[in-house]
Amino acid sequence: MELKALLFDVDGTLADTERDGHRVAFNAAFAEYGLDWHWDVDLYGQLLAVTGGKERMHYYVDRFRSDYAKPDDFTDLVAELHRAKTRHYTRMLQEGGIPMRTGVVRLLNEAREAGLRLAIATTTTPENVTALLRHSLADDANDWFEVIAAGDIVPAKKPAADIYLWAMQQMQLTPGACFAFEDSENGLRSSRGAGLKTLITINDYTRSHAFPGAAAVLSDLGEPGHTPDVLVGNLADQPYVNLAAIRAWHAAD
């Protein structure tokens, strides 16, 4: 089937947002509310096993803070903390602190010039997505993507396939017409569960993850003069990830 659309995860895939973005913003929100919670780099790596910021805070308290007495309105508190975290994260983006990963801007421009349709499929909030695209990609970058499937738009977050299925439903496309980009094991389980062939570009937090069924596992998308490291699979005889490589992976059995 002809390749018609590229679907992208956001955090860790389009930009290295987790360690120096979301983690820092969470800690700022905790401090704002007078909580003694602090997520260091190693702890945050463990918390990333849970997708969704609100879900991650619930998991943190249940798993690591048995000393914390939950108030009766704990669910409401978590929602407030998450809104504060989003505010701090957006401020960081406005200050230009989170650039796109290697090769992302080049590939998006190549896809747009070729007439491929683009979409986002992520567990992060719509506000986080639009802020990242506007401040780290281009003022009109939200308009580059036909569908932005984000946050609580579906009840089950990754590794459930729901967010990808919803995005494809909005685009009226089948999995065979699409190709996905992810950075984590949960993300791959989500995209593969939706029937999508998927490229993985790892980051520091996902380097040790297992990626069964990925089209390839690379260090990044690469650029002219910079060939990415290949951890699993191959670059389809290309010097970096371009549309020729993607079409080859998409067409492979």
Side-chain angles (χ1 to χ4, degrees):
M1 185 176 292
E2 179 187 358
L3 177 65
K4 296 181 178 180
L6 305 182
L7 281 65
F8 292 86
D9 172 53
V10 174
D11 293 324
T13 301
L14 291 184
D16 276 327
T17 55
E18 294 291 7
R19 187 186 67 182
D20 299 323
H22 289 296
R23 182 186 68 86
V24 175
F26 272 116
N27 286 333
F30 301 154
E32 179 181 334
Y33 276 74
L35 295 167
D36 66 345
W37 305 354
H38 182 79
W39 293 355
D40 63 24
V41 171
D42 290 339
L43 173 59
Y44 194 67
Q46 298 179 59
L47 297 176
L48 285 175
V50 176
T51 54
K54 293 185 289 290
E55 293 82 356
R56 200 167 292 151
M57 283 185 274
H58 280 283
Y59 175 73
Y60 166 70
V61 170
D62 292 341
R63 174 68 176 81
F64 296 97
R65 292 303 302 263
S66 59
D67 61 316
Y68 177 74
K70 292 182 183 179
D72 292 338
D73 63 346
F74 182 63
T75 298
D76 293 337
L77 173 61
V78 165
E80 287 184 26
L81 286 167
H82 198 261
R83 285 192 290 271
K85 173 258 176 182
T86 297
R87 174 165 38 81
H88 288 291
Y89 179 76
T90 300
R91 172 184 52 78
M92 294 172 63
L93 287 170
Q94 291 170 346
E95 294 169 355
I98 306 176
M100 290 283 141
R101 292 191 65 185
T102 300
V104 166
V105 177
R106 171 190 52 76
L107 181 61
L108 289 173
N109 283 324
E110 186 178 347
R112 294 175 69 215
E113 290 170 6
L116 288 178
R117 299 162 68 182
L118 301 175
I120 293 288
T122 180
T123 59
T124 199
T125 65
E127 295 85 357
N128 285 344
V129 176
T130 56
L132 176 70
L133 295 179
R134 183 171 63 254
H135 296 295
S136 298
L137 185 54
D139 287 341
D140 65 341
N142 285 312
D143 297 332
W144 297 10
F145 297 89
E146 180 177 336
V147 170
I148 296 181
D152 298 322
I153 201 165
V154 293
K157 295 186 177 181
K158 298 177 184 180
D162 299 35
I163 196 73
Y164 279 106
L165 294 172
W166 189 90
M168 288 187 289
Q169 182 181 44
Q170 301 308 302
M171 301 174 82
Q172 298 184 334
L173 291 175
T174 64
C178 304
F179 191 86
F181 297 79
E182 279 284 355
D183 72 303
S184 69
E185 183 175 356
N186 276 341
L188 179 63
R189 289 170 62 191
S190 177
S191 61
R192 293 294 292 153
L196 291 163
K197 292 183 178 178
T198 306
L199 174 69
I200 296 292
T201 52
I202 61 164
N203 55 63
D204 288 345
Y205 279 130
T206 65
R207 186 175 299 275
S208 63
H209 287 194
F211 298 110
V217 181
L218 309 177
S219 59
D220 53 71
L221 297 178
E223 292 280 16
H226 166 67
T227 299
D229 296 332
V230 179
L231 287 77
V232 177
N234 58 68
L235 267 171
D237 296 323
Q238 299 299 313
Y240 48 84
V241 179
N242 53 25
L243 290 187
I246 294 168
R247 288 193 170 102
W249 290 320
H250 176 259
D253 294 331

